[in-house]
């Protein structure tokens, strides 16, 4: 072997003439994506094609008068990078409409002492958003299990564009197993759908599913879809960046992360997962969140998490035992999360939670309150468009399955009730509608 490892088969590599890198036409390559909807803050992300420093100008006036500029990153240095600009707008008024524009400076980076701005670009469109809060319109939507598939995602986004809720919860399994940040861009920032600007004026909150924690890119997901604002939680809960408890009019929305659907001790994970203490930590977070005056005073309490907290089927693996539980279960992964139910449900029940909205099983289902849980549970549908694959005589074949369709779950407060509607966006029909009475609240 040649010393230095630079030559192959004894032939030294010829030095190549330096070529100027072509400068792409556009620096900003995606519309903005509003994320982490909240009462006094919001996150704005957008994708860029080259090393850049992004910013957001925002104002309460549609003519952008008196606009303030916020750069990506926090204190110390701006978050210069060549993929995604993440900007946090803070100190906002609750239930207030803001107008904003995005821009970015193109940066030539030649080292720590050699950087300069060589151009800038502004998206000319003025966008708007409205913050959440007790005075916001009490409406939300939930999508889930889109699994990087554009057809079901587009169907859901078209429905949301018609409903225009105050916020949308993306309840997990947006991804499959993503190894690179680039592979996350078409999922969150540049989806090839009619409403490619799906989140430019429609605030989203991202709650991970089990597929969103797999792959190298998932370990830095907050570089793509940012963690929530630190002031939303105690220092004890510093790493609980996906949990949220926010008022959306008369509805309190509480987001929890059920994590992986396999045990931390599962061989394929090589001891590199740490979900068990994560679930326990969220119990303490939840206990405090439910005692917050703004959450406690909401007539309606809706909890959201990816993996269901209940399943009546005794063959459904509850996720807290090895492999498939000695052959007792129909799947070798958690179909539902008994650990999370045991940790979180007593708190939710005590607080009078009306409904838990979950996902993961790729088939819409409603579990009415019963002796095992006082809340109703909605399990959202999956990405399959009326077909499923099953094993028939040993071979995998596609079979028609009318129970498989993507859903948009719509919640709103009206006429003294929480009304939750389940839309089948494949067949364009309303599947179910549930009405919940207000809980006893402390004014
Ligand atoms: Fe899924
Ligand atoms: Fe899942």
């Amino acid at each position: 072997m040649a010393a230095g490892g630079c030559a192959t088969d004894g032939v030294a590599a010829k030095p190549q003439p330096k070529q100027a890198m072509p400068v792409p036409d556009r620096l900003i390559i995606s519309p903005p994506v509003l994320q982490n909807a909240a009462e006094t803050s919001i996150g704005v992300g957008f994708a860029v094609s080259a090393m850049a420093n992004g910013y957001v100008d925002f104002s309460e006036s549609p003519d952008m008068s008196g606009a303030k500029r916020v750069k990506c990153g926090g204190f110390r240095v701006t978050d210069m990078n060549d993929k995604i600009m993440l900007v946090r707008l803070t100190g906002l008024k609750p239930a207030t409409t803001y107008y904003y524009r995005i821009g970015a400076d193109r940066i030539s980076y030649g080292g720590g002492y050699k950087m300069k701005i060589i151009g800038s670009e502004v998206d000319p469109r003025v966008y708007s958003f409205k913050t959440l809060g007790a005075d916001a319109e009490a409406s939300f939507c939930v999508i889930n299990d889109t699994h990087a598939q554009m057809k079901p995602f587009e169907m859901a986004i078209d429905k949301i564009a018609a409903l225009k809720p105050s916020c949308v919860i993306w309840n997990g399994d947006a991804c499959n197993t993503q190894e690179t940040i680039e592979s996350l861009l078409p999922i969150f920032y540049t989806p090839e759908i009619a409403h490619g600007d799906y989140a430019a004026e429609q605030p989203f909150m991202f709650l991970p599913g089990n597929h969103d924690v797999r792959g190298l890119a998932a370990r830095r997901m907050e570089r793509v879809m940012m963690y929530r604002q630190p002031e939303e939680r105690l220092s004890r809960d510093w790493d609980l960046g996906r949990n949220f408890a926010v008022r959306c009019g008369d509805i309190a929305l509480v987001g929890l992360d059920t994590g992986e659907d396999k045990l931390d001790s599962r061989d394929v994970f090589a001891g590199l997962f740490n979900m068990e203490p994560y679930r326990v930590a969220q119990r303490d977070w939840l206990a405090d969140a439910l005692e917050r005056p703004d959450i406690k005073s909401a007539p309606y309490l809706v909890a959201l998490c990816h993996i269901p907290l209940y399943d009546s089927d005794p063959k459904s693996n509850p996720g807290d035992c090895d492999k498939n539980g000695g052959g007792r279960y129909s799947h070798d992964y958690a179909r539902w999360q008994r650990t999370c139910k045991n940790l979180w449900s007593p708190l939710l029940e005590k607080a009078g939670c009306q409904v838990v909205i979950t996902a993961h099983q790729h088939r819409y289902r409603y579990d009415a309150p019963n002796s095992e849980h006082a809340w109703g549970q909605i399990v959202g549908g999956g990405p399959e468009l009326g077909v499923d694959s099953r094993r028939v005589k040993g071979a995998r074949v596609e079979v028609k399955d009318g129970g498989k369709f993507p859903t948009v779950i719509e919640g709103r407060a009206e006429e003294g009730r929480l009304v939750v509607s389940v839309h089948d966006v494949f067949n364009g029909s309303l599947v179910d509608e549930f009405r919940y009475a207000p809980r006893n609240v402390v004014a």
Side-chain angles (χ1 to χ4, degrees):
M1 174 178 267
C6 295
T8 312
D9 297 327
V11 180
K14 277 187 184 172
Q16 297 296 309
K18 277 192 179 173
Q19 288 185 341
M21 289 292 288
V23 177
D25 289 339
R26 288 176 55 211
L27 180 61
I28 299 172
I29 57 169
S30 83
V33 172
L34 294 171
Q35 47 201 282
N36 293 342
E39 295 186 20
T40 59
S41 65
I42 201 158
V44 183
F46 56 94
V48 291
S49 61
M51 192 66 84
N53 180 63
Y55 58 83
V56 172
D57 293 332
F58 71 101
S59 164
E60 284 187 60
S61 301
D63 65 3
M64 297 298 290
S65 58
K68 290 181 190 165
R69 175 165 297 186
V70 180
K71 294 178 181 177
C72 61
F75 292 133
R76 303 182 301 117
V77 293
T78 60
D79 184 21
M80 175 173 64
N81 74 75
D82 61 356
K83 290 182 180 61
I84 299 171
M85 306 285 100
L86 296 173
V87 182
R88 294 176 185 272
L89 307 184
T90 56
L92 306 178
K93 299 175 189 168
T96 301
T97 299
Y98 287 90
Y99 300 86
Y100 75 104
R101 240 185 337 235
I102 58 171
D105 294 327
R106 188 189 296 269
I107 296 168
S108 165
Y109 187 78
Y113 294 101
K114 199 176 176 188
M115 58 192 95
K116 61 181 176 183
I117 292 172
I118 56 171
S120 58
E121 192 174 305
V122 175
D123 178 344
R125 192 171 149 192
V126 175
Y127 302 94
S128 67
F129 64 85
K130 194 169 180 182
T131 47
L132 299 182
D135 294 328
E137 184 188 288
S139 64
F140 68 90
C141 282
V142 185
I143 63 170
N144 59 276
D145 292 279
T146 40
H147 283 280
Q149 295 182 35
M150 289 303 117
K151 262 192 179 174
F153 183 57
E154 181 164 51
M155 290 170 183
I157 291 302
D158 287 350
K159 185 68 185 176
I160 287 165
L163 295 172
K164 293 187 172 53
S166 290
C167 61
V168 178
I169 297 97
W170 199 339
N171 202 10
D173 282 6
C175 306
N176 291 312
T177 300
Q178 311 305 139
E179 301 295 352
T180 64
I181 296 292
E182 285 81 356
S183 73
L184 290 165
L185 291 178
I187 297 172
F188 294 106
Y189 286 92
T190 56
E192 292 191 359
I193 59 174
H195 289 100
D197 56 354
Y198 72 100
E201 299 198 321
Q202 175 64 71
F204 270 64
M205 339 200 355
F206 174 60
L207 268 181
N210 49 299
H211 277 274
D212 303 311
V213 294
R214 294 177 188 165
L216 281 177
R219 290 176 181 253
R220 286 288 175 270
M221 180 65 95
E222 63 270 26
R223 304 284 303 176
V224 178
M225 294 295 276
M226 66 180 89
Y227 266 4
R228 294 194 66 92
Q229 277 299 103
E231 68 264 24
E232 291 184 50
R233 56 193 180 275
L234 299 172
S235 55
R236 177 197 67 194
D237 303 326
W238 69 275
D239 202 25
L240 302 184
R242 295 294 177 204
N243 293 107
F244 59 80
V246 293
R247 275 293 289 270
C248 180
D250 278 348
I251 306 169
L253 297 167
V254 173
L256 294 150
D257 183 357
T258 41
E260 246 301 345
D261 65 9
K262 297 170 181 58
L263 291 172
D264 290 342
S265 55
R266 184 71 183 265
D267 49 2
V268 293
F269 292 153
L272 301 175
F273 279 63
N274 203 23
M275 295 294 174
E276 279 308 302
Y278 181 45
R279 296 181 181 112
V280 175
Q282 289 179 78
R283 177 190 56 191
D284 296 342
W285 171 84
L286 178 62
D288 289 345
L290 294 175
E291 288 299 319
R292 269 174 32 198
D294 59 325
I295 299 303
K296 208 167 183 175
S297 59
Y300 308 107
L301 175 61
V302 177
L304 302 112
C305 58
H306 179 73
I307 301 179
L309 299 186
Y310 171 79
D311 197 318
S312 61
D313 183 352
K315 288 187 174 175
S316 277
N317 190 331
D320 55 4
C321 48
D322 266 341
K323 296 278 179 163
N324 60 357
R328 277 177 294 156
Y329 302 117
S330 52
H331 297 81
D332 68 346
Y333 57 87
R335 291 271 291 169
W336 66 289
Q337 244 300 335
R338 185 158 55 192
T339 302
C340 291
K341 186 202 173 187
N342 291 341
L343 287 166
W344 307 338
S345 181
L347 296 165
L348 294 173
E349 295 209 353
K350 187 176 162 217
C353 173
Q354 284 98 347
V355 62
V356 178
I357 299 177
T358 68
H360 185 59
Q361 295 192 357
H362 294 204
R363 182 185 291 270
Y364 163 66
R365 187 182 81 234
Y366 182 65
D367 297 317
N370 63 16
S371 59
E372 295 180 61
H373 53 93
W375 30 263
Q377 175 174 263
I378 296 173
V379 183
E384 295 86 359
L385 304 176
V387 291
D388 195 7
S389 74
R390 291 196 192 134
R391 213 166 268 286
V392 177
K393 292 182 182 171
R396 274 240 167 250
V397 295
E398 283 204 336
V399 292
K400 280 203 169 170
D401 188 335
K404 295 256 177 176
F405 48 80
T407 50
V408 167
I409 299 164
E410 176 198 9
R412 61 196 182 279
E414 61 180 31
E415 297 171 354
R417 289 287 181 273
L418 168 65
V419 182
V420 183
S421 308
V422 181
H423 303 277
D424 166 355
V425 294
F426 175 54
N427 296 298
S429 58
L430 176 66
V431 186
D432 263 329
E433 194 158 89
F434 307 100
R435 289 174 180 268
Y436 301 94
R439 62 181 176 147
N440 293 323
V441 295
V442 178

mmCIF file of all heavy atoms in Angstrom, residues 145 147 171-173 208-212 214 258-259 261 306-308 333-334 359-362, ligand 2:
data_model
loop_
_atom_site.group_PDB
_atom_site.id
_atom_site.type_symbol
_atom_site.label_atom_id
_atom_site.label_comp_id
_atom_site.label_asym_id
_atom_site.label_seq_id
_atom_site.Cartn_x
_atom_site.Cartn_y
_atom_site.Cartn_z
ATOM 1 N N ASP A 145 -48.523 9.919 10.590
ATOM 2 C CA ASP A 145 -48.102 8.764 9.794
ATOM 3 C C ASP A 145 -48.088 9.049 8.294
ATOM 4 O O ASP A 145 -48.512 8.214 7.496
ATOM 5 C CB ASP A 145 -48.980 7.544 10.112
ATOM 6 C CG ASP A 145 -48.742 7.039 11.517
ATOM 7 O OD1 ASP A 145 -47.759 6.318 11.729
ATOM 8 O OD2 ASP A 145 -49.525 7.404 12.416
ATOM 9 N N HIS A 147 -45.263 9.412 6.680
ATOM 10 C CA HIS A 147 -44.166 8.541 6.233
ATOM 11 C C HIS A 147 -43.512 8.989 4.932
ATOM 12 O O HIS A 147 -43.211 8.148 4.066
ATOM 13 C CB HIS A 147 -44.656 7.091 6.119
ATOM 14 C CG HIS A 147 -44.769 6.409 7.451
ATOM 15 N ND1 HIS A 147 -43.685 5.886 8.118
ATOM 16 C CD2 HIS A 147 -45.851 6.203 8.257
ATOM 17 C CE1 HIS A 147 -44.095 5.366 9.271
ATOM 18 N NE2 HIS A 147 -45.399 5.549 9.390
ATOM 19 N N ASN A 171 -48.570 14.511 14.207
ATOM 20 C CA ASN A 171 -48.457 13.568 15.317
ATOM 21 C C ASN A 171 -47.600 12.340 14.997
ATOM 22 O O ASN A 171 -47.991 11.200 15.265
ATOM 23 C CB ASN A 171 -49.868 13.151 15.765
ATOM 24 C CG ASN A 171 -49.899 12.625 17.181
ATOM 25 O OD1 ASN A 171 -48.922 12.737 17.920
ATOM 26 N ND2 ASN A 171 -51.019 12.032 17.570
ATOM 27 N N GLY A 172 -46.449 12.578 14.439
ATOM 28 C CA GLY A 172 -45.444 11.530 14.342
ATOM 29 C C GLY A 172 -45.435 10.689 13.091
ATOM 30 O O GLY A 172 -46.388 10.639 12.328
ATOM 31 N N ASP A 173 -44.287 10.020 12.901
ATOM 32 C CA ASP A 173 -44.001 9.234 11.703
ATOM 33 C C ASP A 173 -44.151 10.084 10.445
ATOM 34 O O ASP A 173 -44.721 9.643 9.435
ATOM 35 C CB ASP A 173 -44.866 7.967 11.634
ATOM 36 C CG ASP A 173 -44.351 6.865 12.562
ATOM 37 O OD1 ASP A 173 -43.393 7.125 13.332
ATOM 38 O OD2 ASP A 173 -44.913 5.758 12.528
ATOM 39 N N PRO A 208 -42.811 13.830 17.571
ATOM 40 C CA PRO A 208 -42.187 12.695 16.885
ATOM 41 C C PRO A 208 -42.932 11.377 17.103
ATOM 42 O O PRO A 208 -43.560 11.151 18.136
ATOM 43 C CB PRO A 208 -40.798 12.609 17.525
ATOM 44 C CG PRO A 208 -40.631 13.857 18.310
ATOM 45 C CD PRO A 208 -41.997 14.326 18.674
ATOM 46 N N GLY A 209 -42.810 10.524 16.094
ATOM 47 C CA GLY A 209 -43.233 9.134 16.229
ATOM 48 C C GLY A 209 -41.997 8.252 16.292
ATOM 49 O O GLY A 209 -40.861 8.738 16.237
ATOM 50 N N ASN A 210 -42.210 6.957 16.383
ATOM 51 C CA ASN A 210 -41.071 6.046 16.480
ATOM 52 C C ASN A 210 -40.157 6.129 15.260
ATOM 53 O O ASN A 210 -38.944 6.011 15.372
ATOM 54 C CB ASN A 210 -41.562 4.607 16.685
ATOM 55 C CG ASN A 210 -42.638 4.218 15.697
ATOM 56 O OD1 ASN A 210 -43.701 4.838 15.666
ATOM 57 N ND2 ASN A 210 -42.386 3.214 14.881
ATOM 58 N N HIS A 211 -40.720 6.375 14.081
ATOM 59 C CA HIS A 211 -39.876 6.462 12.884
ATOM 60 C C HIS A 211 -39.076 7.755 12.825
ATOM 61 O O HIS A 211 -38.126 7.848 12.046
ATOM 62 C CB HIS A 211 -40.736 6.324 11.622
ATOM 63 C CG HIS A 211 -41.025 4.905 11.277
ATOM 64 N ND1 HIS A 211 -40.173 4.134 10.512
ATOM 65 C CD2 HIS A 211 -42.054 4.095 11.621
ATOM 66 C CE1 HIS A 211 -40.679 2.919 10.384
ATOM 67 N NE2 HIS A 211 -41.815 2.865 11.055
ATOM 68 N N ASP A 212 -39.460 8.735 13.604
ATOM 69 C CA ASP A 212 -38.758 10.022 13.565
ATOM 70 C C ASP A 212 -37.527 10.039 14.469
ATOM 71 O O ASP A 212 -36.866 11.074 14.596
ATOM 72 C CB ASP A 212 -39.712 11.152 13.960
ATOM 73 C CG ASP A 212 -40.934 11.182 13.066
ATOM 74 O OD1 ASP A 212 -40.758 11.135 11.832
ATOM 75 O OD2 ASP A 212 -42.066 11.234 13.584
ATOM 76 N N ARG A 214 -35.298 7.361 14.184
ATOM 77 C CA ARG A 214 -34.404 6.356 13.588
ATOM 78 C C ARG A 214 -33.538 6.987 12.509
ATOM 79 O O ARG A 214 -34.006 7.810 11.740
ATOM 80 C CB ARG A 214 -35.229 5.222 12.972
ATOM 81 C CG ARG A 214 -35.971 4.434 14.019
ATOM 82 C CD ARG A 214 -36.837 3.355 13.405
ATOM 83 N NE ARG A 214 -37.683 2.752 14.429
ATOM 84 C CZ ARG A 214 -38.731 2.002 14.164
ATOM 85 N NH1 ARG A 214 -39.079 1.753 12.918
ATOM 86 N NH2 ARG A 214 -39.447 1.497 15.145
ATOM 87 N N THR A 258 -44.173 9.542 22.908
ATOM 88 C CA THR A 258 -44.095 8.146 23.352
ATOM 89 C C THR A 258 -42.774 7.478 22.950
ATOM 90 O O THR A 258 -42.467 6.387 23.412
ATOM 91 C CB THR A 258 -45.271 7.330 22.771
ATOM 92 O OG1 THR A 258 -45.477 7.717 21.405
ATOM 93 C CG2 THR A 258 -46.542 7.561 23.551
ATOM 94 N N GLY A 259 -41.998 8.106 22.052
ATOM 95 C CA GLY A 259 -40.671 7.594 21.712
ATOM 96 C C GLY A 259 -40.708 6.380 20.790
ATOM 97 O O GLY A 259 -41.648 6.184 20.015
ATOM 98 N N ASP A 261 -40.904 2.451 19.440
ATOM 99 C CA ASP A 261 -41.893 1.411 19.732
ATOM 100 C C ASP A 261 -41.234 0.092 20.135
ATOM 101 O O ASP A 261 -41.892 -0.930 20.251
ATOM 102 C CB ASP A 261 -42.854 1.217 18.556
ATOM 103 C CG ASP A 261 -42.183 0.674 17.300
ATOM 104 O OD1 ASP A 261 -41.009 0.281 17.367
ATOM 105 O OD2 ASP A 261 -42.857 0.626 16.252
ATOM 106 N N HIS A 306 -47.968 9.917 19.819
ATOM 107 C CA HIS A 306 -47.974 9.087 18.608
ATOM 108 C C HIS A 306 -48.519 7.672 18.862
ATOM 109 O O HIS A 306 -49.446 7.216 18.193
ATOM 110 C CB HIS A 306 -46.565 9.026 18.021
ATOM 111 C CG HIS A 306 -46.483 8.176 16.802
ATOM 112 N ND1 HIS A 306 -47.006 8.578 15.581
ATOM 113 C CD2 HIS A 306 -45.977 6.925 16.593
ATOM 114 C CE1 HIS A 306 -46.814 7.624 14.689
ATOM 115 N NE2 HIS A 306 -46.196 6.603 15.276
ATOM 116 N N ILE A 307 -47.938 6.973 19.797
ATOM 117 C CA ILE A 307 -48.347 5.581 20.025
ATOM 118 C C ILE A 307 -49.573 5.561 20.950
ATOM 119 O O ILE A 307 -49.597 6.274 21.960
ATOM 120 C CB ILE A 307 -47.183 4.757 20.639
ATOM 121 C CG1 ILE A 307 -45.967 4.799 19.687
ATOM 122 C CG2 ILE A 307 -47.602 3.313 20.888
ATOM 123 C CD1 ILE A 307 -44.745 4.046 20.202
ATOM 124 N N PRO A 308 -50.589 4.797 20.608
ATOM 125 C CA PRO A 308 -51.793 4.764 21.440
ATOM 126 C C PRO A 308 -51.495 4.403 22.895
ATOM 127 O O PRO A 308 -50.528 3.688 23.203
ATOM 128 C CB PRO A 308 -52.653 3.687 20.771
ATOM 129 C CG PRO A 308 -52.211 3.691 19.344
ATOM 130 C CD PRO A 308 -50.728 3.976 19.385
ATOM 131 N N TYR A 333 -43.365 -5.254 17.996
ATOM 132 C CA TYR A 333 -43.129 -3.868 18.419
ATOM 133 C C TYR A 333 -44.379 -3.379 19.131
ATOM 134 O O TYR A 333 -45.445 -4.009 19.041
ATOM 135 C CB TYR A 333 -42.817 -2.977 17.204
ATOM 136 C CG TYR A 333 -43.892 -2.995 16.151
ATOM 137 C CD1 TYR A 333 -44.984 -2.126 16.221
ATOM 138 C CD2 TYR A 333 -43.835 -3.893 15.091
ATOM 139 C CE1 TYR A 333 -45.987 -2.156 15.265
ATOM 140 C CE2 TYR A 333 -44.834 -3.934 14.140
ATOM 141 C CZ TYR A 333 -45.910 -3.049 14.223
ATOM 142 O OH TYR A 333 -46.895 -3.091 13.288
ATOM 143 N N ALA A 334 -44.234 -2.261 19.833
ATOM 144 C CA ALA A 334 -45.365 -1.759 20.614
ATOM 145 C C ALA A 334 -46.490 -1.297 19.698
ATOM 146 O O ALA A 334 -46.328 -0.351 18.933
ATOM 147 C CB ALA A 334 -44.914 -0.589 21.488
ATOM 148 N N ALA A 359 -51.860 7.813 17.045
ATOM 149 C CA ALA A 359 -51.543 7.490 15.650
ATOM 150 C C ALA A 359 -50.966 6.075 15.597
ATOM 151 O O ALA A 359 -51.417 5.183 16.305
ATOM 152 C CB ALA A 359 -50.538 8.516 15.133
ATOM 153 N N HIS A 360 -49.971 5.839 14.706
ATOM 154 C CA HIS A 360 -49.089 4.675 14.765
ATOM 155 C C HIS A 360 -49.639 3.397 14.153
ATOM 156 O O HIS A 360 -48.897 2.631 13.562
ATOM 157 C CB HIS A 360 -48.690 4.431 16.221
ATOM 158 C CG HIS A 360 -47.692 3.348 16.444
ATOM 159 N ND1 HIS A 360 -46.432 3.368 15.873
ATOM 160 C CD2 HIS A 360 -47.745 2.202 17.190
ATOM 161 C CE1 HIS A 360 -45.767 2.288 16.273
ATOM 162 N NE2 HIS A 360 -46.529 1.570 17.049
ATOM 163 N N GLN A 361 -50.922 3.124 14.308
ATOM 164 C CA GLN A 361 -51.430 1.815 13.870
ATOM 165 C C GLN A 361 -51.908 1.807 12.423
ATOM 166 O O GLN A 361 -52.300 0.766 11.905
ATOM 167 C CB GLN A 361 -52.541 1.350 14.811
ATOM 168 C CG GLN A 361 -52.037 1.094 16.228
ATOM 169 C CD GLN A 361 -53.042 0.363 17.096
ATOM 170 O OE1 GLN A 361 -54.157 0.073 16.667
ATOM 171 N NE2 GLN A 361 -52.658 0.059 18.314
ATOM 172 N N HIS A 362 -51.925 2.973 11.782
ATOM 173 C CA HIS A 362 -52.279 3.090 10.365
ATOM 174 C C HIS A 362 -53.702 2.620 10.062
ATOM 175 O O HIS A 362 -53.978 2.195 8.947
ATOM 176 C CB HIS A 362 -51.280 2.328 9.468
ATOM 177 C CG HIS A 362 -49.908 2.913 9.473
ATOM 178 N ND1 HIS A 362 -49.006 2.736 8.454
ATOM 179 C CD2 HIS A 362 -49.264 3.705 10.372
ATOM 180 C CE1 HIS A 362 -47.872 3.369 8.730
ATOM 181 N NE2 HIS A 362 -48.012 3.955 9.903
HETATM 182 FE FE1 LIG B 2 -45.454 4.736 14.443
#
